[in-house]
Amino acid sequence: MPVMIGVDPHKASHTAAALDEHGQLLDRQRVPATLMGYRALRQWAGQWPQRGWAVEGAHGIGRALAQRLVGDGEHVLDVPAKLAARVRVLSVGHGRKSDSDDAVSVAVAARNAVGRRQVGVEDQAVVLHLLTKRRQDLVAARTQTINRLHRLLMDLVPGGAQRNLTVKRAAALLAAVTPAGAPALTRWQLATELVDDARRLEQRIAAVEARIKTAVAQSNTSLLELFGVGPVLAATFLGEVGDIGRFPTKHHFAAHTGTAPLEASSGQVIRHRLSRAGDRRLNHALYMMAMVQVRRPSAGQAYYQRKLAEGKSPKEALRCLKRRLSDAVYRCLLADARSPAVTG
């Protein structure tokens, strides 16, 4: 594109910078993150008929802007924040940071970097991401409610409630309690309300899981063939990864999932350490998958036992298994992308 417009998006405003084919700054523009601001941005960009857009974090903070541009027929590239930051640090000006400088860095990164992914219209992967995030929020709310029940039951029942408290068990304990005095009565009433809250949350969790199951079935993904992967984990993988084509190899995918160990060698000492980088939701999904395989007869359990026999600690063996499972998930997603039977 003769003109590349880089955008540094924020919740309240968007800052854009237009660069020509030689990387020279043509103009800058800052608009509020509103419909009127978007229209002003499009009007400003209209002076360059042959243009392309580069949005920082087009799948994150810049998602709304990027999707609006794509919907209007604009050519949009996604620029990761880390890549834009690297360009800014290596540029003239000692890495000074401002919204205007960030917008220029985004445009430079999009023009110079190879393999920048074009942003497309949101598909089924976004639906799965939204549903799994909703389930995660509901499960967190249920856990918080159960924890509050635990605290109240400590004062109402001698010894309190056992671990892994269920709604049914909590209701049975409260039914056997005869509160004496105003404080005990208030605790009993509050605990009863929390039991009702937990019941409603469980109903909502069941409802969203049914929607997830239907959406995963419609995707025709081969992930369900992997041992330890049910609809929820399959939806997590599909929703978080999105376009598997953005990962050239299984090694790139492992780096994204945080299962590729980082080398920390020095001199004659060769060692690796655990990576804390990558998508933590994907990493947790692989952990859940690994734990299912470790606890049940499977190829994963045999692999885990073999690593233990080689002298690795349980944590190290589990990390090895997670990397192996990351490769398996990558192969499935790649096969799904190449299969015409799989819907996007």
Side-chain angles (χ1 to χ4, degrees):
M1 292 289 178
V3 174
M4 181 63 69
I5 302 175
V7 183
D8 179 36
H10 290 279
K11 290 178 65 176
S13 66
H14 302 316
T15 302
L19 273 61
D20 64 16
E21 63 265 32
H22 304 295
Q24 297 299 313
L25 180 64
L26 298 174
D27 196 8
R28 307 178 202 240
Q29 179 80 342
R30 183 185 180 94
V31 298
T34 62
L35 180 58
M36 293 298 295
Y38 174 73
R39 290 172 178 169
L41 183 64
R42 287 294 311 279
Q43 184 178 6
W44 169 78
Q47 59 187 302
W48 303 290
Q50 293 184 314
R51 61 181 179 270
W53 297 78
V55 178
E56 182 181 81
H59 296 289
I61 188 67
R63 182 194 59 78
L65 174 62
Q67 286 299 314
R68 192 168 285 136
L69 288 168
V70 170
D72 287 342
E74 297 287 328
H75 182 274
V76 183
L77 298 178
D78 177 26
V79 176
K82 287 185 178 180
L83 179 59
R86 195 175 302 139
V87 170
R88 185 182 67 251
V89 169
L90 296 177
S91 64
V92 177
H94 309 288
R96 286 195 301 265
K97 180 168 172 49
S98 69
D99 290 347
S100 296
D101 293 332
D102 286 348
V104 171
S105 299
V106 170
V108 172
R111 186 175 290 284
N112 296 340
V114 178
R116 289 293 97 229
R117 303 294 298 183
Q118 183 176 348
V119 180
V121 178
E122 292 182 333
D123 55 13
Q124 185 71 3
V126 177
V127 174
L128 292 168
H129 174 78
L130 293 171
L131 290 175
T132 53
K133 186 62 172 67
R134 172 60 173 165
R135 180 187 179 275
Q136 183 184 34
D137 293 341
L138 289 172
V139 170
R142 180 191 177 279
T143 300
Q144 186 180 56
T145 302
I146 294 296
N147 289 340
R148 289 172 175 169
L149 259 175
H150 262 293
R151 288 197 293 269
L152 290 172
L153 289 172
M154 285 290 295
D155 294 318
L156 292 170
V157 179
Q162 296 180 349
R163 291 173 61 88
N164 301 321
L165 179 65
T166 64
V167 174
K168 185 177 180 180
R169 178 58 181 162
L173 289 173
L174 288 173
V177 171
T178 303
L185 178 59
T186 301
R187 289 190 180 97
W188 185 88
Q189 291 171 338
L190 292 175
T192 302
E193 292 174 5
L194 288 174
V195 167
D196 293 337
D197 292 344
R199 282 201 182 103
R200 284 192 291 269
L201 286 169
E202 288 185 344
Q203 291 171 355
R204 292 179 181 177
I205 292 171
V208 77
E209 286 179 350
R211 296 172 66 184
I212 289 173
K213 185 176 181 180
T214 300
V216 170
Q218 292 173 347
S219 73
N220 294 319
T221 179
S222 60
L223 285 171
L224 294 175
E225 300 172 7
L226 296 177
F227 191 91
V229 176
V232 172
L233 284 186
T236 301
F237 288 129
L238 293 169
E240 288 296 313
V241 174
D243 180 14
I244 190 63
R246 59 197 179 106
F247 304 105
T249 68
K250 63 182 181 180
H251 308 296
H252 290 83
F253 184 69
H256 182 69
T257 61
T259 56
L262 301 177
E263 186 171 1
S265 304
S266 178
Q268 301 300 316
V269 179
I270 307 299
R271 59 179 179 150
H272 295 80
R273 64 178 177 85
L274 175 66
S275 172
R276 298 290 183 184
D279 189 309
R280 303 319 296 172
R281 290 191 71 193
L282 282 176
N283 190 278
H284 179 71
L286 289 169
Y287 170 80
M288 298 299 295
M289 184 180 172
M291 293 306 297
V292 171
Q293 295 201 7
V294 166
R295 292 169 179 171
R296 299 181 183 178
S298 62
Q301 186 187 69
Y303 178 83
Y304 177 78
Q305 294 295 337
R306 188 162 68 250
K307 289 299 177 181
L308 292 178
E310 292 174 2
K312 294 188 179 295
S313 69
K315 285 187 177 181
E316 290 172 334
L318 189 63
R319 291 171 193 164
C320 293
L321 177 58
K322 284 170 63 179
R323 171 56 196 270
R324 189 182 180 95
L325 296 179
S326 175
D327 293 347
V329 169
Y330 178 77
R331 287 193 297 270
C332 283
L333 293 175
L334 206 58
D336 289 348
R338 293 170 177 170
S339 174
V342 177
T343 60

